[in-house]
Amino acid sequence: MKVIAFLGSPRRDGNTELLLKEITKGIEESGSSARTFILNEMDILPCQNCGGCDEKGMCVYEDDMLQIYDAIRTADRIILASPVFFFSISAQAKIMIDRCQCIWVEKYILKKPIPEGKYGRKGLLIMVGGMKKDTGIQCGNTVAKAFFRTINVPEHKTLGFTSVDAKGAILKHPTAMKEAYEAGKELVRI
Ligand SMILES: Cc1cc2nc3c(=O)[nH]c(=O)nc-3n(C[C@H](O)[C@H](O)[C@H](O)COP(=O)(O)O)c2cc1C
């Protein structure tokens, strides 16, 4: 089973990455492995709405999205992990998602959705925010839903944590790390 993950936080070893590592641990202890893309360290141009993908559903820009397109097309499980930034996902995550407009064209205009594969396609959204309110997680979930459905992931689970702000504060959360570990195990369960 092929599992890929997108880290949307620019803060290395921050709350999002700590949660993602725990998910990955659950995945690995279930006998699978996950490849993580550190979006902040990749060369990804924001979508230019140039119309270059309108006819063939292929983006005309050749940057690090090439490896991401390939990974998205062949993955069975896809994880999107992001902090809440201004009531949504981070810019790093959003830029990657916007560049999936060519996959949107492929699915909805050319009627060629990404094949389901042997294990079906499932998603997991992880979000962590500093505020008490979960508005940012709700907004992020709406964006993630559009992303997952576009890349032909019909269902996804959302794990969101509020009131977690300082670097590493997630480690003090009473259940978060355990929930993340269990979510990783559940994601790859057949
Ligand atoms: C630019 C920026 C915007 C933020 N906006 C929000 C917000 O709207 N709502 C919220 O709950 N937390 C917000 N936060 C707090 C982060 O979500 C929080 O610190 C989180 O734990 C960061 O995760 P990380 O350590 O993985 O980067 C913001 C932080 C930054 C740097």
Side-chain angles (χ1 to χ4, degrees):
M1 184 178 296
K2 187 170 164 183
V3 186
I4 59 167
F6 297 107
L7 176 65
S9 174
R11 188 155 70 169
R12 296 306 308 266
D13 296 319
N15 299 314
T16 313
E17 188 169 15
L18 288 170
L19 284 166
L20 186 55
K21 281 187 172 160
E22 205 60 18
I23 291 167
T24 305
K25 195 171 147 198
I27 289 168
E28 283 168 358
E29 288 181 11
S30 301
S32 297
S33 62
R35 176 179 179 194
T36 298
F37 293 93
I38 315 289
L39 295 173
N40 196 49
E41 293 173 12
M42 297 180 78
D43 174 27
I44 304 176
L45 184 78
C47 177
Q48 302 295 298
N49 195 11
C50 64
C53 62
D54 281 357
E55 283 180 18
K56 292 187 180 161
M58 276 169 65
C59 185
V60 294
Y61 289 97
E62 296 190 351
D63 56 14
D64 286 345
M65 275 306 288
L66 286 179
Q67 43 177 307
I68 290 182
Y69 291 137
D70 185 52
I72 285 177
R73 286 181 200 289
T74 53
D76 304 294
R77 301 288 181 265
I78 298 171
I79 303 164
L80 179 64
S82 175
V84 178
F85 278 5
F86 280 87
F87 289 90
S88 190
I89 56 168
S90 68
Q92 288 82 352
K94 186 63 165 52
I95 286 172
M96 183 279 291
I97 290 174
D98 286 355
R99 285 288 299 281
C100 291
Q101 175 65 6
C102 54
I103 302 179
W104 186 93
V105 168
E106 199 182 29
K107 181 178 180 184
Y108 294 107
I109 307 293
L110 306 178
K111 310 286 180 205
K112 283 189 211 157
I114 294 173
E116 217 181 85
K118 193 171 151 191
Y119 303 103
R121 284 164 71 82
K122 286 187 185 167
L124 176 63
L125 171 68
I126 299 292
M127 289 198 75
V128 52
M131 290 169 63
K132 279 188 202 155
K133 280 187 176 178
D134 72 346
T135 318
I137 291 165
Q138 287 178 37
C139 295
N141 189 49
T142 305
V143 178
K145 189 174 172 186
F147 167 59
F148 281 131
R149 301 309 175 262
T150 294
I151 61 168
N152 221 24
V153 171
E155 55 176 284
H156 75 274
K157 183 179 169 167
T158 300
L159 217 51
F161 301 98
T162 54
S163 306
V164 179
D165 209 5
K167 187 175 179 180
I170 196 72
L171 297 172
K172 292 184 192 139
H173 188 284
T175 58
M177 299 309 270
K178 190 170 185 318
E179 284 184 62
Y181 175 77
E182 293 299 335
K185 288 197 120 178
E186 190 194 315
L187 188 68
V188 292
R189 200 170 289 138
I190 303 166

